Amino acid sequence: MRASRTGERPKPRTRTLTLNAGFFVGVGLVLALAWWVHGDEPPGLRGEPDFAPLRGEPFLVVYGAPSCSACIEEWKALRSTLPGGLRVVHLLTREGTGPVADAAALEDWSARLRVPRAAVLPADLTRSTLPAVVLRDERARWRFEHAGPWNDEARARLERALRLEGALPHAAP
């Protein structure tokens, strides 16, 4: 309490809490860190199908478009290097502002890739760079992404991500 004029009772000191931008930034960072540590999956891309049925083990999402001949060639190169048992989902994206793939387009894409029809899903999105590949963990969180031509560096990064997710055995020391 502060001293006051003589004979008067001292008034209690009032304190005011001042919140500045730094406080709010700090709270935001703490909340973001808590979210990250908790491991909630980020939302998928707007227009992707629901991947809830695929959760439980890692899976690979391969993006393609009907006119993307490079997507077919890249899939052939990638397919031979994937571990057996890894689930793969092929998303057939829209062509620019074109419509979402219909059943006939999905059937055609399945035949062109030589994959089961159930592995090809329509996606109401466009990808600026195709082909593109995303590895998702057992909770559908992104763990690896590569867009463009497949190369040795991308293959090595995917192998590391697959090992971290338990989809490949760890290399012997």
Side-chain angles (χ1 to χ4, degrees):
M1 291 205 203
R2 283 201 269 181
S4 60
R5 290 185 236 166
T6 55
E8 287 184 16
R9 236 184 127 150
K11 292 183 181 178
R13 184 179 205 179
T14 57
R15 295 181 184 225
T16 57
L17 180 62
T18 304
L19 302 176
N20 60 21
F23 172 80
F24 290 108
V25 169
V27 168
L29 289 174
V30 167
L31 292 174
L33 179 62
W35 174 80
W36 181 72
V37 168
H38 185 264
D40 288 340
E41 69 265 9
L45 296 174
R46 181 174 293 148
E48 282 185 336
D50 182 17
F51 290 127
L54 298 172
R55 293 183 182 154
E57 59 187 68
F59 60 96
L60 194 68
V61 180
V62 180
Y63 297 85
S67 66
C68 180
S69 58
C71 295
I72 296 168
E73 295 307 314
E74 295 295 330
W75 168 241
K76 290 177 184 176
L78 175 61
R79 179 184 218 171
S80 64
T81 65
L82 294 176
L86 178 66
R87 292 183 299 170
V88 179
V89 177
H90 297 270
L91 293 188
L92 190 58
T93 63
R94 287 186 291 113
E95 297 276 25
T97 59
V100 176
D102 60 8
L106 297 172
E107 191 68 42
D108 179 58
W109 193 247
S110 168
R112 291 173 67 190
L113 293 177
R114 297 185 181 153
V115 298
R117 168 57 189 86
V120 180
L121 301 173
D124 188 15
L125 56 93
T126 59
R127 290 289 305 213
S128 58
T129 305
L130 289 173
V133 176
V134 172
L135 176 67
R136 296 193 180 207
D137 70 6
E138 73 279 351
R139 294 174 68 191
R141 296 175 298 187
W142 289 37
R143 294 299 183 217
F144 167 85
E145 178 182 13
H146 179 76
W150 199 244
N151 56 39
D152 291 337
E153 188 264 333
R155 187 179 326 278
R157 286 181 36 240
L158 177 59
E159 284 180 14
R160 279 193 302 275
L162 287 167
R163 277 193 182 83
L164 287 172
E165 295 306 317
L168 274 181
H170 290 281

